[in-house]
């Protein structure tokens, strides 16, 4: 029922920036913990960033901490991922996800998320 649509991916040089957006159709968007995950070729999908229902709490993977910023605008039913100082190893398909139920105060578990977007490709070149 809930639909998530990512946008903003593309090709960028190392050291550059991109901002990803995730538009959400659900009318209860403000009740969802939102997360960003990514999957590189030949690798498992991994946690990137998560944000609490009203944005008071954010969590990041160690690999992106200090470079990426997750934010949300509940009035627009949209979550964002600002990616700065991009590295070659950031190349992946990036997925937006929504968690509709409480599981824990940690946002990094894939199995806790109920809804997923189709993904958007981010490619970082040298």
């Amino acid at each position: 029922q809930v639909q998530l649509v990512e946008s903003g991916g593309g090709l960028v040089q190392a050291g550059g920036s991109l901002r990803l957006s995730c538009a959400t159709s659900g009318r209860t968007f403000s009740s969802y913990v939102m997360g960003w995950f990514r999957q590189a070729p030949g690798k498992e999908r991994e946690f990137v960033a998560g944000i609490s229902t009203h944005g008071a709490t954010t969590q990041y993977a160690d690999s992106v901490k200090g470079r990426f910023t997750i934010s949300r605008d509940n009035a627009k039913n949209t979550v964002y991922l600002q990616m700065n100082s991009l590295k070659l190893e950031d190349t992946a398909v990036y997925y937006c996800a929504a968690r509709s139920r409480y599981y824990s105060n940690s946002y990094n578990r894939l199995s806790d998320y109920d809804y997923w977007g189709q993904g958007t490709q981010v490619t970082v070149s040298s």
Side-chain angles (χ1 to χ4, degrees):
Q1 186 175 0
V2 175
Q3 297 182 24
L4 310 176
V5 180
E6 302 96 335
S7 62
L11 177 65
V12 64
Q13 291 186 346
S17 298
L18 283 175
R19 189 179 77 158
L20 306 183
S21 298
C22 175
T24 306
S25 64
R27 61 179 176 86
T28 56
F29 175 75
S30 62
S31 69
Y32 303 151
V33 167
M34 299 297 296
W36 286 97
F37 296 78
R38 67 187 183 186
Q39 188 166 20
K43 296 185 178 180
E44 297 294 319
R45 192 171 300 185
E46 65 176 359
F47 171 76
V48 176
I51 188 167
S52 60
T53 55
H54 295 281
T57 301
T58 57
Q59 297 177 8
Y60 298 93
D62 288 342
S63 59
V64 307
K65 193 171 298 182
R67 300 188 298 119
F68 291 10
T69 302
I70 187 171
S71 62
R72 66 192 296 160
D73 186 341
N74 286 355
K76 296 181 178 179
N77 287 359
T78 302
V79 63
Y80 305 94
L81 185 68
Q82 179 67 47
M83 304 185 293
N84 298 327
S85 302
L86 283 161
K87 304 175 180 179
L88 294 178
E89 52 264 42
D90 294 320
T91 295
V93 176
Y94 283 71
Y95 297 90
C96 177
R99 194 182 82 178
S100 61
R101 305 176 185 88
Y102 177 81
Y103 294 96
S104 74
N105 59 1
S106 296
Y107 301 158
N108 64 344
R109 290 184 55 183
L110 278 73
S111 61
D112 285 350
Y113 289 82
D114 307 291
Y115 307 102
W116 294 82
Q118 82 289 349
T120 186
Q121 176 71 47
V122 172
T123 302
V124 183
S125 64
S126 61

